[in-house]
């Protein structure tokens, strides 16, 4: 089991490298709430807020709502096709 201080140092290092809270949680194998707490404890959150690049907050998207409605799936497919048509031959995989 890792020491809390080691986790705080690891979270700080990852935050300074630009990792999001969700990515830090995945790297340290902890919950997102724990990752947020570790970053706040490390002081990296204040350093990022003080003038570093703005890091967007994690958001949750419930994609299952799309799969329950065929019309929604059709709209998403049309939107993706429209975006891909603007890319020309530059797209390798969809």
């Amino acid at each position: 089991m890792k020491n809390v201080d080691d986790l705080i140092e690891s979270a700080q290092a990852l935050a300074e490298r630009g990792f999001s809270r969700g990515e830090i949680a995945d790297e340290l194998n902890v919950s997102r709430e724990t990752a947020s707490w570790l970053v706040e404890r490390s002081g990296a959150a204040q350093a990022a807020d003080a003038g570093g690049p703005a890091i967007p907050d994690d958001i949750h998207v419930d994609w299952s709502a799309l799969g329950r409605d065929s019309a929604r799936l059709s709209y998403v497919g049309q939107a993706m096709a429209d975006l891909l048509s603007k890319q020309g031959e530059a797209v390798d995989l969809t």
Side-chain angles (χ1 to χ4, degrees):
M1 183 159 136
K2 290 188 177 182
N3 184 351
V4 173
D5 293 330
D6 294 337
L7 287 172
I8 290 172
E9 289 176 15
S10 298
Q12 180 179 11
L14 293 170
E16 289 172 354
R17 289 177 45 200
F19 280 56
S20 71
R21 305 275 168 105
E23 292 169 330
I24 292 171
D26 291 342
E27 285 291 318
L28 298 180
N29 197 25
V30 297
S31 70
R32 289 176 188 246
E33 292 81 16
T34 303
S36 293
W37 182 85
L38 291 169
V39 171
E40 289 170 10
R41 277 286 194 190
S42 72
Q46 290 88 12
D49 293 340
I55 299 173
D57 292 332
D58 291 339
I59 60 169
H60 172 76
V61 177
D62 183 11
W63 291 105
S64 65
L66 290 175
R68 288 191 294 252
D69 186 351
S70 61
R72 290 181 190 146
L73 285 172
S74 176
Y75 296 142
V76 170
Q78 290 172 10
M80 290 176 68
D82 179 61
L83 290 170
L84 289 172
S85 70
K86 306 284 190 271
Q87 297 300 315
E89 301 281 326
V91 178
D92 292 332
L93 178 69
T94 305

